[in-house]
Amino acid sequence: MDSAIRAAAPAGEPDDPFRPSGGRRACAWLAGLLLIVPSVVAGCRVADTDAVTPVPQLLAFLPWLLAPAGAALLLALLARWRTGVVWAVAVLAVTGWYVRPYDTGLTDAPPGPVVARIEVLTSNVEFGNATKGSKGLLATIRREQPDLVFVQECDPGCASALAAEVSRTDYPYRNVVEGYAAAGSAILSTFPLRPAPGISGTLAMPGSVAVVGDRTVNLQLVHPLPPIPRGVDDWKRELGRVRTYAAGVKGQPTLLAGDFNATQDHAAFRRILDAGDLRDSATLVGAARTPSWPAAVRRPLGAQIDHVLISEDFSVRRARFLDLAGTDHRSLLVDLELHDVR
């Protein structure tokens, strides 16, 4: 009789995560919860939108979302939840596609004869804290001797140090906008500079035109507000101004450098590239996922928000991320060649 009753009892569906109750049910629920955030962020990446908080903040750390998605896959397998397994695999595949390392530049044919070689350093010195010291900005400038230096968060102390301790013989041309805390910025150059309007922003974003041989190169320091939860609209608006600038100089030798507070996973950043037909120098030499912030973490963690963007007039020989004491950013040093594409 017992065996007959057992035989007549309905069998649960194989795809039912709640059979039997208890451990598998808990695993299925937890897997679903873990997949919600990665699914939303990956969906926004596919849809080419930065959406609203917390999506812009999480897009900066897209590789991190592989961890909860991977944990969800394991839990779905333990729960024997086939729908959850497919869901987790899909999220992992989409996220993995976008975070994969790739190189788009080493095989590029040179666009024309080389007319100049230019080394560019961009550095966020965090309220001027990383200016001095044996591992600070000044020591880095003396050691590396870049041709162009872009400095963000250059407070009055930083500006004074640049004026007093960086030789005018080495860097006779300068565009320094003084400001307190994060507001100040500076461009130092070995090439003659002509004034340019720059970009309006809460933090100084000065611009100049460098004369390199018989070529003129548009230089623009970039430092929009960060996408803090209550400041996403301001962040989008200021990156929109950078996009407008890029569109206005399209087809001209152009170099944008600084702390963009955005990664390649942000739609607002990709629109800057598209608007100006620009390329990211680190990406061109296979360093697209090397983090520049926060400096305390290493690849694959962290976010690359410090960039040097270049027009097609340039090629990249190498890009290096340098550690400076006193700042939460790594500096970026790129070795460029300017080509005659006329």
Side-chain angles (χ1 to χ4, degrees):
M1 179 67 70
D2 290 343
S3 61
I5 293 174
R6 285 195 297 271
E13 293 295 329
D15 192 34
D16 184 358
F18 307 111
R19 182 186 61 86
S21 62
R24 290 183 189 170
R25 178 185 298 173
C27 286
W29 274 106
L30 185 54
L33 290 173
L34 285 173
L35 284 170
I36 292 174
V37 170
S39 298
V40 171
V41 177
C44 288
R45 183 65 174 87
V46 172
D48 195 30
T49 178
D50 293 323
V52 298
T53 296
V55 173
Q57 295 83 4
L58 292 173
L59 278 169
F61 302 100
L62 189 65
W64 294 26
L65 299 182
L66 292 170
L73 175 60
L74 177 60
L75 290 168
L77 288 169
L78 291 173
R80 300 181 185 177
W81 181 26
R82 285 184 292 180
T83 300
V85 170
V86 173
W87 181 9
V89 169
V91 172
L92 284 169
V94 170
T95 306
W97 171 260
Y98 284 113
V99 304
R100 74 196 190 284
Y102 59 92
D103 169 21
T104 60
L106 290 177
T107 59
D108 283 357
V114 175
V115 297
R117 184 169 172 177
I118 305 172
E119 209 166 36
V120 181
L121 175 71
T122 179
S123 182
N124 181 320
V125 292
E126 194 179 6
F127 313 133
N129 294 330
T131 305
K132 296 187 177 183
S134 61
K135 294 184 179 180
L137 175 65
L138 299 179
T140 301
I141 292 173
R142 286 192 290 267
R143 182 180 68 251
E144 302 294 343
Q145 298 180 336
D147 301 292
L148 295 169
V149 181
F150 294 80
V151 189
Q152 305 90 57
E153 301 196 15
C154 188
D155 71 344
C158 165
S160 297
L162 292 176
E165 301 186 42
V166 176
S167 170
R168 288 277 178 177
T169 301
D170 295 333
Y171 295 93
Y173 308 102
R174 307 180 182 210
N175 185 353
V176 180
V177 180
E178 293 194 15
Y180 289 96
S185 294
I187 301 174
L188 308 184
S189 175
T190 61
F191 304 109
L193 296 181
R194 297 203 305 255
I199 298 173
S200 175
T202 305
L203 310 176
M205 291 191 278
S208 295
V209 175
V211 181
V212 183
D214 65 343
R215 305 298 307 277
T216 58
V217 179
N218 300 306
L219 305 180
Q220 179 59 55
L221 184 146
V222 177
H223 193 201
L225 290 168
I228 59 176
R230 293 187 178 182
V232 170
D233 288 342
D234 295 330
W235 171 74
K236 289 181 179 179
R237 181 168 52 253
E238 295 197 353
L239 283 174
R241 292 172 185 167
V242 178
R243 182 181 69 247
T244 299
Y245 170 85
V249 296
K250 185 176 181 179
Q252 305 172 26
T254 300
L255 193 155
L256 286 75
D259 172 10
F260 284 69
N261 277 311
T263 72
Q264 66 182 29
D265 293 309
H266 288 110
F269 178 77
R270 295 191 299 275
R271 286 170 188 144
I272 293 170
L273 298 176
D274 293 341
D277 197 16
L278 301 171
R279 301 174 298 165
D280 189 307
S281 57
T283 298
L284 291 177
V285 289
R289 289 291 172 185
T290 302
S292 65
W293 178 87
V297 303
R298 300 292 171 178
R299 194 170 182 171
L301 304 178
Q304 188 180 117
I305 61 176
D306 298 87
H307 306 274
V308 174
L309 307 186
I310 54 175
S311 62
E312 65 174 4
D313 307 82
F314 294 92
S315 63
V316 187
R317 294 173 58 88
R318 65 173 178 170
R320 289 185 289 151
F321 289 88
L322 311 176
D323 290 301
L324 269 65
T327 177
D328 56 350
H329 286 253
R330 290 190 181 92
S331 298
L332 173 58
L333 181 68
V334 297
D335 189 356
L336 305 174
E337 288 181 337
L338 175 62
H339 298 258
D340 188 352
V341 298
R342 292 174 293 184

